[in-house]
Amino acid sequence: FLRQRLSSSSNMESKQEESTMDLRSIFQSHQLPDIYHHKLVDQGLSSIELLSQCSEDDVNQLCKQLELTLIDKLKFKQALKSVNIPREPIQYAIINQDEQNAIMEIHQSIKKVESLIIKNDGNYSINDLENKFESDRSKICAVFDSIH
């Protein structure tokens, strides 16, 4: 019995270590400094399974608690989304082809802006990026206004 209990305890510890390593590798793959992983572990959020319970609001609150820079916040959210955190709710809607095309264009535009911000190597100032973001936001609103 004792051997079985010790084996079970050992398996749980190794699964938690494996999950922690998975979380660390996800952060590293998105070029996030280890300090954020350590802060999450210190707060008891050491595994993907625990983080998978987070809502969008929880993720935003975590970003504030971790005191992420804008670029690291985007990388953090991108890292979590790569493992479907927060879980995307399944929603069904009936849309026409114009709406579908507009949504795809908007999605592409958002991805381009995210990529510009993440890969910014000093070519763009924060003001330039914010202006690009606002310009794209205006275009998105105009597209939806024209559809409806």
Side-chain angles (χ1 to χ4, degrees), residues 91-141:
Q91 298 178 355
Y92 299 96
I94 298 173
I95 59 175
N96 66 36
Q97 189 63 41
D98 291 337
E99 291 171 322
Q100 184 176 358
N101 291 339
I103 289 170
M104 293 306 292
E105 286 179 35
I106 291 164
H107 179 73
Q108 293 294 330
S109 178
I110 290 169
K111 291 297 178 192
K112 284 180 187 175
V113 170
E114 284 178 350
S115 179
L116 276 175
I117 292 170
I118 290 170
K119 293 180 180 178
N120 184 11
D121 57 2
N123 293 333
Y124 300 98
S125 71
I126 295 297
N127 287 336
D128 291 338
L129 293 171
E130 287 176 353
N131 290 340
K132 172 79 172 134
F133 177 72
E134 286 302 321
S135 169
D136 286 349
R137 181 183 293 190
S138 297
K139 289 176 187 175
I140 290 168
C141 290

Side-chain angles (χ1 to χ4, degrees), residues 53-65 73 76-77 80-81 85-87:
Q53 303 304 309
C54 288
S55 66
E56 184 74 29
D57 289 337
D58 295 333
V59 171
N60 287 328
Q61 188 174 358
L62 274 175
C63 289
K64 286 180 185 176
Q65 287 178 348
K73 179 179 178 179
F76 180 75
K77 286 184 170 188
L80 293 180
K81 284 192 185 286
I85 299 171
R87 295 208 190 297

Side-chain angles (χ1 to χ4, degrees), residues 23 27 35-46 51 62 66 76 80:
L23 186 59
F27 283 7
I35 187 72
Y36 299 127
H37 178 261
H38 294 299
K39 285 182 177 183
L40 282 175
V41 171
D42 289 346
Q43 293 181 19
L45 295 168
S46 58
L51 284 170
L62 274 175
L66 295 173
F76 180 75
L80 293 180

Side-chain angles (χ1 to χ4, degrees), residues 8-36:
S8 173
S9 174
S10 174
N11 286 342
M12 287 176 60
E13 288 174 8
S14 69
K15 283 183 181 180
Q16 186 167 355
E17 285 177 19
E18 186 177 301
S19 179
T20 299
M21 292 306 289
D22 289 344
L23 186 59
R24 176 177 278 142
S25 65
I26 289 167
F27 283 7
Q28 288 173 344
S29 72
H30 286 82
Q31 301 171 345
L32 281 162
D34 275 345
I35 187 72
Y36 299 127

